[in-house]
Amino acid sequence: MGRFSYIARTKGGSRDSGTLDAPSQDEAVTILQKKGLVVTSIIDLDRKSTEVKKKYSFAAKVTAVHKFGHTGVHSSDLVIFARQLAMLLGAGVSLLKALEVILKQIDSRRLYAAVLSITKDMEAGRTFKDSVAKFKSIFSDLWVYLIETGEASGNLPVVLSHLAKYLEDTQAFKRKIISALMYPCVLMIVAVGAVIFFVVKIVPTFSTILTSFNVELPLPTKILISISDMLRTKIILFIVVIGLLVFFFKRVMKIKTFRVQLERFQLKLPVVGNFFRFMMIEAFSTTMSILIESGVPIIYALDISERSQPYMTMQEIIGEVKTSVREGKSFGEPLSRTDFFPPMVVQMVSIGEEIGELSQMFKRISTYYQEYLEAFVTRIAALFEPLMIVFMGGIIGAMVISIFLPIFNLATASAH
């Protein structure tokens, strides 16, 4: 029989600590879980010596040599982390023990360092939510608030399972969009590369030959040769200008007024305007679905969704909806007043609110718009291919004609 010191959280989210006697550490965790506690730290008090403490200290274990596959944190890293943590906690493993197991399998150097720091903070008595909140560049606000909800309700495994499913669905959706755009992007890169090679390598050779004829060159030929000379002699200037434009655009995008105006301009564009609008609605619906399904109150869910939205326009709309709901109005009423959401979305949300299935309705809305966006991108990609071929064929054809036009003129003059 051993004596253990523990730190845990009650279902209400308050901190609980103390000591208990149990045959083993696993038995101690089981006893505490049966009392409705979420164990964040447990220490064997019978192991007093420094050597033994070091041997059994989690922080000492994870400082061993670890091989990493990459440095950054990919979306797949977070999906695996959330899924593994949910499964281990659901199997009754304590939070610290689960992190110990997961840490040995993390492939990202940056995520490894973050989880190691989180574990040390929790050993010191901090909550999982507060420990994770220190790494906002890795874990979004959605992570932080869902973990807080899970800790407070005592359903952390369930909440993490919902989060993992959300991350998996989001990653799968992005993968489909990227897959649909891959071929058109490759086609464009190859076509542009071919044009640049033609202008930089082929045109100068013909330019030398044409100059040796001592004849007046047609205007299209002069323009083509001038472009070729400019690209070859001022390539560094072009690169610097493009770099400055990218830097300036990134700086300007940090200005709220500019971002709002740019988003409004995007929404007014023909054909693609609805694409941007539906993309915003899909992101909002997906976030609200996972939050409500995890037990987050409506007002709190709207607040989290507002702060996690990358679109300024959507943040303003959610802010208006949140204010109306806080005043006691139904969810559907402020949505209809914004004139941003289609009637179908408003009706589905109103029905979901009435029958108590709001999370399921948001999930259906999210699925509908994901399918719409995927089909839209696929159609655009299919249309883009022949247009790109015709466009690039026209450009290359114009350049070939510009090169051979002086030769045709010279041959005609010689014939006369």
Side-chain angles (χ1 to χ4, degrees):
M1 185 70 70
R3 190 163 185 78
F4 299 89
S5 172
Y6 68 89
I7 299 173
R9 292 279 164 180
T10 65
K11 289 186 177 181
S14 59
R15 186 175 184 271
D16 188 7
S17 61
T19 59
L20 80 160
D21 296 325
S24 65
Q25 181 172 305
D26 290 339
E27 289 290 338
V29 171
T30 303
I31 293 171
L32 294 171
Q33 288 178 338
K34 286 181 179 178
K35 294 180 179 180
L37 298 176
V38 178
V39 181
T40 59
S41 175
I42 187 163
I43 300 173
D44 190 342
L45 296 177
D46 291 338
R47 302 187 180 275
K48 297 291 185 180
S49 67
T50 304
E51 291 295 324
V52 177
K53 280 185 179 180
K54 185 175 180 180
K55 179 180 178 181
Y56 285 91
S57 169
F58 176 71
K61 287 183 179 180
V62 295
T63 51
V65 177
H66 188 93
K67 294 183 179 180
F68 301 100
H70 52 274
T71 302
V73 181
H74 302 158
S75 58
S76 57
D77 295 320
L78 295 176
V79 170
I80 294 171
F81 176 70
R83 179 59 70 190
Q84 290 178 334
L85 190 56
M87 287 191 298
L88 289 170
L89 293 178
V93 180
S94 67
L95 186 53
L96 277 175
K97 184 67 176 178
L99 290 173
E100 177 184 359
V101 173
I102 293 171
L103 197 59
K104 296 175 183 177
Q105 306 172 48
I106 291 178
D107 205 31
S108 165
R109 183 185 298 275
R110 191 168 166 223
L111 182 59
Y112 178 93
V115 175
L116 177 59
S117 177
I118 289 169
T119 311
K120 289 180 178 179
D121 286 345
M122 291 180 63
E123 284 183 333
R126 297 188 66 173
T127 64
F128 188 33
K129 174 254 181 182
D130 291 337
S131 302
V132 169
K134 291 171 56 181
F135 300 94
K136 291 190 175 181
S137 60
I138 298 176
F139 301 101
S140 64
D141 288 339
L142 186 63
W143 273 82
V144 176
Y145 293 119
L146 283 176
I147 288 173
E148 182 181 14
T149 302
E151 284 187 311
S153 63
N155 291 324
L156 190 57
V158 177
V159 172
L160 285 173
S161 181
H162 290 162
L163 176 61
K165 183 65 167 58
Y166 162 79
L167 294 173
E168 287 169 349
D169 291 344
T170 303
Q171 187 182 38
F173 173 62
K174 289 180 179 178
R175 193 183 298 116
K176 290 177 181 178
I177 298 298
I178 292 173
S179 177
L181 293 174
M182 185 65 70
Y183 181 72
C185 290
V186 170
L187 181 64
M188 178 180 290
I189 292 172
V190 171
V192 172
V195 170
I196 292 175
F197 176 80
F198 190 90
V199 172
V200 173
K201 292 293 184 180
I202 306 300
V203 172
T205 303
F206 277 91
S207 175
T208 304
I209 297 173
L210 294 174
T211 304
S212 64
F213 291 157
N214 294 320
V215 295
E216 181 67 19
L217 298 177
L219 180 60
T221 308
K222 290 181 179 179
I223 294 174
L224 181 60
I225 293 174
S226 298
I227 293 174
S228 175
D229 293 338
M230 191 179 301
L231 282 176
R232 288 187 297 108
T233 59
K234 295 183 172 58
I235 185 66
I236 296 178
L237 179 61
F238 277 114
I239 295 174
V240 171
V241 170
I242 292 173
L244 289 174
L245 289 174
V246 171
F247 174 78
F248 177 74
F249 182 75
K250 287 184 176 180
R251 298 282 294 183
V252 171
M253 283 298 291
K254 294 180 180 180
I255 302 174
K256 181 178 179 180
T257 306
F258 177 81
R259 286 182 59 187
V260 171
Q261 293 300 322
L262 179 62
E263 288 176 7
R264 288 176 179 173
F265 170 75
Q266 291 174 333
L267 292 171
K268 292 178 181 178
L269 290 174
V271 182
V272 296
N274 276 337
F275 175 81
F276 289 114
R277 183 161 71 109
F278 295 157
M279 189 167 59
M280 295 180 187
I281 295 174
E282 185 276 330
F284 169 68
S285 302
T286 304
T287 305
M288 289 298 296
S289 172
I290 179 65
L291 288 169
I292 297 173
E293 190 176 14
S294 300
V296 180
I298 296 294
I299 297 295
Y300 200 21
L302 285 168
D303 186 54
I304 297 171
S305 180
E306 180 184 5
R307 281 184 279 179
S308 62
Q309 282 291 326
Y311 311 105
M312 301 299 297
T313 303
M314 202 66 190
Q315 288 181 15
E316 292 181 355
I317 292 172
I318 296 174
E320 296 174 5
V321 173
K322 183 176 65 175
T323 302
S324 297
V325 173
R326 186 179 283 117
E327 293 173 353
K329 298 177 182 177
S330 65
F331 206 125
E333 183 181 345
L335 288 182
S336 62
R337 286 205 313 268
T338 61
D339 292 329
F340 184 84
F341 294 90
M344 180 197 73
V345 174
V346 177
Q347 292 174 7
M348 290 183 70
V349 170
S350 299
I351 293 171
E353 190 176 21
E354 290 178 5
I355 65 176
E357 294 288 342
L358 196 54
S359 66
Q360 293 301 317
M361 284 300 182
F362 272 120
K363 185 177 292 186
R364 291 193 180 101
I365 294 169
S366 172
T367 302
Y368 171 81
Y369 282 111
Q370 283 183 2
E371 293 174 353
Y372 171 87
L373 294 172
E374 184 184 349
F376 180 87
V377 171
T378 302
R379 287 196 300 269
I380 292 296
L383 180 63
F384 179 82
E385 180 183 346
L387 290 178
M388 189 67 186
I389 292 174
V390 171
F391 178 70
M392 296 311 299
I395 292 179
I396 293 175
M399 290 191 297
V400 171
I401 292 173
S402 298
I403 288 175
F404 285 99
L405 190 59
I407 300 176
F408 294 152
N409 292 342
L410 187 64
T412 305
S414 299
H416 290 290

